Each structure stands twice: as C-alpha cells, then as structure tokens.
Amino acid sequence: MTVNIEAIARHYGGKVCKGNALIPTPGHSARDRGTAIKASAHAPDGCLVACYNGTQADALAVKEMLRADGFLAADSGRELTATERRSIRQAELARKRERLEAEEAAARCAADLWANASRADPAHPYLVAKVLEPFGIRQEGRDLLVPMVDPGFRLWNVQRIRPDGFKLFGKDARTAGLFWPHGVHIQDGRPSAGPLVIGEGFATMAAVHSATGFGVAAAMSARNLETVARAMRKLFPTRELVIAADDDRHLTENIGLGVARKAAQAVGGVVATPRPETCSADSSVDFADIPRGDVAGRIEAARLGE
C-alpha cells in the first residue's frame, strides 16, 4: 500500500513540506503541526513518523491513527530490522536538528520583535475587556505581546493577542516548557514575598497578580501546566506554590481542574479554583472572569485549605 503524504496532510489539517506531511500531534493545538510523516520503502509500514513535541509512544499512536483512518494497511506492521531501526533513528535525529534550528531562528525573531515593541496601551480593547493593567507586556501595532521564557528566563517566543482576544504564537517557535513570569523576583534577584501562583493564560495570571500582588507564572496552555510547575519547583525548592485552575466544567471532562490537580500533586502545591466546586453553574470560568476581590479570597482559601 502506497502512503499518500498529500492526502494525510489534507485529512489532518496539516501541510506538506520537503516531502513530509506535517500534522498536529494528537492532543496538541491544531496549529502546532509537531508530527512529521514521511514515506519510506525501508519502514515496515511504508512511512516514518516523528513527533517533535512528543515521545516514541506518541509516534506509535499516530501510526495507529493512520491505520485506523485507512492511510496504512491494517496488517502492515512487522518487527523492524537493525538497519531499519538505525535508519529511523538517523531520520529522527535529522528532523530534531531541523526543529531546533527553526526554534533558534524563531527565538531571534521574538527577541527582535520584543526589543522594538512599544509600551502596551492601557486602553487596548483586550485589557479594557479583561480589566487588566499592561504590566509585563508590550505592544506592536494593535497586538499585545506576551513574552514567553524558559526556566533560565531566556526569551524563546512571544504570544500575540489581538484586540478581539485572538491569540497567536510565533511561527516555528517553541512553546513546550515556556511561561510568562511577572513579579517572580524582586529587583535584586531574590524571590518576591509570598507564594508563587501558576496557571494557564496571561489574563488569568495577570488578574491574580493584580488582586494579590503575588508572583505569577502563566504556562500558556493546559498541557504545559505541569511542566512549568515542575520547573518552578526546581527554581524555588521551598516556596509555597498555588495552582490557579481554570474551571472547564462546560466540557465532558473538566480539563482545567484535572491538569491543575495533577500539577499541584507533582510539586506539593495546592489548587485554587475560581469558584467553589459545589457551585451548580455549568459554564467555564477562570480567575480573569471573576471580581478581583473574589480572586484574592479564592487564592487565600486554597492556601488555608478551605
């Protein structure tokens, strides 16, 4: 069975680049296109799969997905030979190098964009709608710019927020393990007073900082939350960590609350929710959606174990 790279890219909302079908890794953003699929007569399924932002298990899951959707023969699997394994490993390493080179180039673009940006306008429609001050961000044209750094505080990416709230990450830029920090340290480099609060989006964590004055870190996505929480624990081994959960009870599975609990368990932190779990409402809400006075109260309740 011939593997149709063009059809695979089209079916999964990806694109073809240098003979590879670049598609979203399952469970990631539809825009990330972190999985590369290439036809190969030397592979037992007729194709090689590499997940830039996943593991070997993710790559195997992609193959099963391709098989289930009819792009690979149902009985095409067999044991790899030593030569095939070596060829696949070399191809994976080559794609990883290409990915790292693309991320480095994107980081340089992000640094230039950030350096040449202006102060964010307090009257920007997004800030007005969210009732937020423009701390820790800049502006380029009509877009707000949110810096995204690694645990060494190196800038790798910049999230753009348009006036209507639509968000974009830099093209080919890294997102895994990055976060937006604010108030984490004081001017002399020492940790700021009080707990460190970690959550998903910029607006959520900006609202927490505005209401409490505590240092905050925004992981920028639910999938990234535990990774960032673990990084913060390494940076601050004894600091009190609070995970500010998004309440996604409108979904079949409350993803925001689930990832927050997992992150808190991983770092010995506590979970703060924007409303009591006994609340009967079935809509989604985060800390940017509730009154600032309630934000401080919910964070304090979590710290006290209430």
Side-chain angles (χ1 to χ4, degrees), residues 40 42-43 48 81-93 95:
S40 172
H42 300 294
L48 301 173
T81 67
T83 300
E84 289 170 342
R85 290 183 186 279
R86 188 162 50 251
S87 175
I88 290 171
R89 181 59 178 162
Q90 289 172 346
E92 288 176 343
L93 290 173
R95 280 192 287 265

Side-chain angles (χ1 to χ4, degrees), residues 41-119:
H42 300 294
D45 291 302
C47 72
L48 301 173
V49 176
C51 295
Y52 299 128
N53 50 2
T55 64
Q56 183 65 23
D58 292 303
L60 293 173
V62 169
K63 280 207 171 183
E64 289 304 315
M65 177 179 74
L66 294 173
R67 194 169 286 114
D69 290 338
F71 292 107
L72 300 180
D75 59 350
S76 58
R78 63 168 170 80
E79 285 295 317
L80 296 171
T81 67
T83 300
E84 289 170 342
R85 290 183 186 279
R86 188 162 50 251
S87 175
I88 290 171
R89 181 59 178 162
Q90 289 172 346
E92 288 176 343
L93 290 173
R95 280 192 287 265
K96 186 176 181 179
R97 285 194 297 270
E98 290 176 3
R99 180 67 174 178
L100 290 175
E101 288 171 1
E103 289 178 350
E104 287 286 354
R108 292 191 291 272
C109 290
D112 289 342
L113 179 63
W114 182 252
N116 294 311
S118 59
R119 280 189 171 189

Side-chain angles (χ1 to χ4, degrees), residues 163-183:
D164 62 0
F166 185 77
K167 302 175 181 68
L168 287 170
F169 295 119
K171 184 178 182 296
D172 295 326
R174 174 182 165 185
T175 57
L178 303 185
F179 56 94
W180 170 73
H182 191 72

Side-chain angles (χ1 to χ4, degrees), residues 144-207:
L144 296 176
L145 304 180
V146 182
M148 297 169 60
V149 301
D150 66 15
F153 293 87
R154 178 193 172 184
L155 181 71
W156 283 89
N157 199 349
V158 172
Q159 184 186 61
R160 287 179 175 269
I161 304 180
R162 294 176 177 169
D164 62 0
F166 185 77
K167 302 175 181 68
L168 287 170
F169 295 119
K171 184 178 182 296
D172 295 326
R174 174 182 165 185
T175 57
L178 303 185
F179 56 94
W180 170 73
H182 191 72
V184 173
H185 297 95
I186 57 178
Q187 277 191 321
D188 65 5
R190 288 179 298 162
S192 53
L196 177 63
V197 188
I198 307 163
E200 291 186 33
F202 158 74
T204 300
M205 302 320 299

